[in-house]
Amino acid sequence: MIMKGKRGVVLGIANKKSIAYGIAKACRDQGAELAITYLNERFEKKLAPIAEELGCAERLYPCDVSKPEEIKALRASLEKDFGKIDFIVHSIAFAPKEGLSGRFMDISKEAFDVAMDISVYSLIEVTRELKPILSNNASILTLTYYGGVKYIPNYNLMGVAKAALEMTTKYLAEDLGSDGVRVNALSAGPIKTLAAAGIGDFSFMLKWNAAHAPLKRNVTIEDVGNSGMYLLSDLSAAVTGEIHYVDGGYNIMGMPAVEFDEDSKPTIAWNGESN
Ligand code: NAP
């Protein structure tokens, strides 16, 4: 039981397809005690059975990260339940629809500000507010995507937010390192979730990734859950400020692998077809 004796909070479970659910489940399966959060009343009912399954029915709290008072209230609840906590999972992102397709330069300042606030600043604020109740070898994990490093069609505004999130991870890692607290980001390959449904042509992204990743498949929330659990556990005790890819190896590719047709001519396999 790798996580036995560890207590933590998971922000960002919308349903059982959420990456945060995969991470929470992996931690729970390895003995962790959890608290989980929901965005607003609409989601409280939906999350109740999930909280029950994860053994934290009595630790299901509201936390809209755009409301500082809810983050403060979350700290008070966690302090009451656990005293100190050993890990935080920040699996939250949001960008208005206009930021996830079309021309990048048309993004409005309003959309930009909302995306940066919820997807990036929230990691800083949650970290700062929960810092007083972090144990002295605590681990914080956030979720990112390759579209923060390289251009990905339609990822647009979220790409800029993920670039900022990845640097935020590194600055926080340095900030908190002397207190023994680690901060890492897990860069997951594309997975069909609620948030992903907002990205234009997402199903093409899935096909492209599966065709070109060295492992020739897409990743699952179980894959991400297990790797996330490693980053939250003492197995990764000397790992901080890291952007850890769990993407079937997609990020190492500079060019799609060449295949050969029956006349031994090079061809490229993609989208399930050859061209
Ligand atoms: P998801 O299930 O839709 O999770 C996103 C979560 O963010 C939801 O629980 C959502 O709550 C929450 N959220 C949005 N605005 C919030 C706010 N103001 N306060 C609190 N919570 C808020 O989608 P997911 O794919 O698992 O996304 C989790 C993380 O993984 C995100 O950072 C995403 O960018 C990242 N990621 C996803 C992929 C992918 O392909 N799916 C790949 C790499 C990284 P509600 O649903 O209640 O609105």
Side-chain angles (χ1 to χ4, degrees):
M1 290 292 232
I2 294 162
M3 298 295 281
K4 191 148 181 60
K6 300 252 184 222
R7 295 163 153 189
V9 62
V10 179
L11 294 89
I13 302 179
N15 53 42
K16 285 179 121 179
K17 292 184 173 168
S18 296
I19 289 176
Y21 172 76
I23 298 172
K25 174 113 181 32
C27 290
R28 177 71 187 154
D29 289 350
Q30 288 297 325
E33 280 180 87
L34 302 173
I36 66 173
T37 66
Y38 58 89
L39 178 59
N40 56 38
E41 279 163 19
R42 209 155 55 84
F43 291 92
E44 186 179 5
K45 265 208 184 107
K46 273 196 188 168
L47 280 199
I50 293 180
E52 181 86 44
E53 182 205 321
L54 294 171
C56 58
E58 68 290 0
R59 293 185 298 274
L60 172 60
Y61 299 118
C63 188
D64 178 340
V65 292
S66 67
K67 297 181 177 157
E69 66 280 10
E70 292 199 5
I71 301 177
K72 283 192 167 62
L74 175 65
R75 167 170 135 193
S77 302
L78 293 171
E79 194 163 17
K80 178 169 63 63
D81 291 334
F82 287 147
K84 296 272 180 188
I85 59 169
D86 305 293
F87 63 91
I88 303 171
V89 178
H90 172 278
S91 185
I92 286 172
F94 176 77
K97 205 148 177 74
E98 66 164 276
L100 298 172
S101 61
R103 291 195 74 176
F104 181 77
M105 72 173 184
D106 291 335
I107 290 165
S108 67
K109 179 161 164 42
E110 290 72 30
F112 189 90
D113 289 349
V114 168
M116 295 299 275
D117 182 39
I118 293 176
S119 314
V120 186
Y121 187 71
S122 64
L123 177 64
I124 301 172
E125 196 162 17
V126 165
T127 299
R128 188 180 57 243
E129 289 302 328
L130 299 192
K131 173 73 181 59
I133 60 162
L134 290 180
S135 65
N136 55 13
N137 63 344
S139 176
I140 300 173
L141 180 66
T142 189
L143 272 297
T144 185
Y145 177 60
Y146 191 53
V149 178
K150 300 275 179 174
Y151 169 83
I152 299 283
N154 295 316
Y155 204 59
N156 297 12
L157 176 53
M158 196 47 77
V160 175
K162 290 305 189 195
L165 182 71
E166 293 187 9
M167 280 316 294
T168 296
T169 301
K170 294 178 189 188
Y171 276 89
L172 285 175
E174 206 293 325
D175 232 14
L176 300 181
S178 51
D179 298 324
V181 174
R182 300 182 294 112
V183 189
N184 290 290
L186 188 157
S187 186
I191 302 177
K192 205 167 181 180
T193 61
L194 259 190
I199 300 163
D201 289 333
F202 187 75
S203 49
F204 182 78
M205 217 187 226
L206 284 171
K207 284 184 190 166
W208 180 270
N209 214 83
H212 297 316
L215 291 182
K216 297 286 177 270
R217 68 169 177 89
N218 283 310
V219 302
T220 64
I221 61 166
E222 288 76 25
D223 294 324
V224 176
N226 287 330
S227 297
M229 189 266 295
Y230 151 77
L231 287 169
L232 296 169
S233 77
D234 294 339
L235 292 177
S236 59
V239 179
T240 196
E242 203 61 44
I243 312 300
H244 181 67
Y245 283 90
V246 181
D247 64 349
Y250 181 84
N251 74 95
I252 67 157
M253 301 297 287
M255 187 177 160
V258 171
E259 296 187 355
F260 294 91
D261 63 19
E262 58 264 22
D263 301 324
S264 301
K265 284 207 181 111
T267 177
I268 299 169
W270 66 284
N271 198 15
E273 296 161 16
S274 285
N275 66 349

